[in-house]
Structures are given as C-alpha cells and as structure tokens.
Amino acid sequence: MPKINGNEIRPNNVIEHNQGLWQVVKVSHVKPGKGGAFAQVELKNIRNGSKLNERFRSADKVEKIRLEQREQQFLYESGGTLVFMDLETFEQTELQVNILGKKRPFLTEGITVQIEYYNSEALNVTLPEKVSCMVVETEPVVKGQTASNSFKPALLDNELRINVPPFIEKNERIIISTETMDYVERE
C-alpha cells in the first residue's frame, strides 16, 4: 500500500491509522503563528462508525488504502443475513443486515449494488442513487390544493413513509433518492 505525507490527505481517502481503517471526512490545513503547519483531519472508522480528530504534520507518513469495488446482485435475506452474488464470478457473499442501516428498505431482490472490499472483508454497500417504489397508501387529491410546495404522506411498498406531491395517487410508481429518502419524480 502506498504511504502518503500528512499534508496529502484528502476527503474520502481511506487510511490505516492506529490499527484501524478510517475514512477521511474533513481536512483543514492550519498554519499557526508558531511551529509548523499541520492538517487537522476528521476521521470515521469504517468498521464501527466511531469518529476521531487527528493532527498530521507534513512529515508524518500514513498508509493510504485502496478499496476494491465489485458489482453484486442482491439475492435474498435469511435470518438477519443478506446474500449477494458477484456478477462476474457468481460467488455468493453473506453480510449482516446492519451494514445498510436505515437504507435497508431500498434493498429489493435483483437490485445491483456496489460492495467495497478490503482484502476479502466487505466493508460497505452502496445502493443506486435512485430506486423505483410503488405507492401503497396515500390521501386522495384535494381539489384546489395546488400550492407548489405542499406535500402529503404516503406509504410505499417497502413500508417506508415519505412525503409526496399532492398529484401522486395510490398504485403509482415513483422514484426515490436513496441518499435523502425523498421523492424525486413520477416514473
């Protein structure tokens, strides 16, 4: 793995530090009146999510890690375990449900995701930016309610509750952002 100087650390880099893998969240370069310049770096542990603030001088060397990304297809869930299949090797990978956190409702059978690996350990699952969902339940359209920023609650087929524009009706397919969990557009 390549070693980089402390002043070369950039946001979204993954580095090895204190026997752990850390993703760089934020970097600010500081030049104090006395002493040498340094980089104030906010780090997030990839494995457990804990955060850490560290100072790195330009002379400090850190190990920059490259994660391997593989496209995989979600097959099924069994007893708290998600099963994915590599689209090239057809190898199956089992991961715990908690790896997705609050984004679990967007994982549907057959969806293609990116899984990041360090050596052979799966560290992160990235869903597509947008997914299609069916509106299962929503209030009927109220005549005269044409305000551009008014929304009404809706229940989706993945049991997620979101706000949708007033013209969306039951049994319509809509596009949802997996990042913000907001309505994007009608399908």
Side-chain angles (χ1 to χ4, degrees):
M1 294 293 147
K3 287 204 180 258
I4 60 173
N5 294 331
N7 63 346
E8 296 173 342
I9 298 171
R10 301 286 177 260
N12 294 325
N13 283 163
V14 176
I15 63 171
E16 191 168 12
H17 181 66
N18 293 346
Q19 292 88 35
L21 290 179
W22 301 83
Q23 182 168 24
V24 178
V25 177
K26 191 164 60 173
V27 178
S28 49
H29 295 279
V30 179
K31 289 183 181 178
K34 282 186 168 179
F38 60 88
Q40 183 70 36
V41 181
E42 185 179 323
L43 302 168
K44 181 179 177 189
N45 190 301
I46 289 179
R47 292 187 176 109
N48 63 21
S50 63
K51 291 201 173 186
L52 175 70
N53 280 310
E54 284 286 338
R55 287 183 176 181
F56 293 97
R57 302 215 176 267
S58 60
D60 295 340
K61 297 280 188 188
V62 292
E63 195 85 27
K64 183 177 177 185
I65 304 297
R66 294 197 193 280
L67 298 179
E68 181 186 355
Q69 293 187 338
R70 295 188 211 152
E71 265 195 4
Q72 301 208 352
Q73 184 178 40
F74 174 61
L75 299 177
Y76 60 91
E77 180 179 348
S78 174
T81 303
L82 305 172
V83 181
F84 297 89
M85 178 181 67
D86 190 302
L87 295 175
E88 292 178 14
T89 64
F90 304 109
E91 213 174 274
Q92 290 189 0
T93 304
E94 293 184 358
L95 302 173
Q96 294 302 308
V97 173
N98 60 3
I99 197 165
L100 281 170
K102 64 181 182 170
K103 295 182 182 182
R104 170 60 186 98
F106 295 118
L107 194 65
T108 56
E109 281 186 32
I111 194 170
T112 302
V113 299
Q114 290 279 338
I115 299 182
E116 291 180 323
Y117 288 89
Y118 175 64
N119 294 332
S120 60
E121 178 189 4
L123 296 173
N124 188 25
V125 176
T126 305
L127 294 167
E129 285 182 32
K130 300 174 185 173
V131 294
S132 173
C133 297
M134 173 76 77
V135 176
V136 176
E137 182 183 302
T138 189
E139 297 169 4
V141 178
V142 177
K143 290 216 183 246
Q145 187 180 15
T146 57
S148 61
N149 61 356
S150 66
F151 284 87
K152 62 182 181 178
L155 177 66
L156 305 178
D157 56 354
N158 58 9
E159 297 180 13
L160 199 65
R161 288 193 178 279
I162 67 161
N163 288 323
V164 297
F167 57 82
I168 298 296
E169 296 179 13
K170 184 178 176 178
N171 297 328
E172 270 193 81
R173 294 203 71 77
I174 58 174
I175 306 293
I176 304 296
S177 165
T178 56
E179 278 302 309
T180 62
M181 295 184 157
D182 290 331
Y183 166 86
V184 175
E185 64 188 357
R186 190 187 271 176
E187 190 175 303

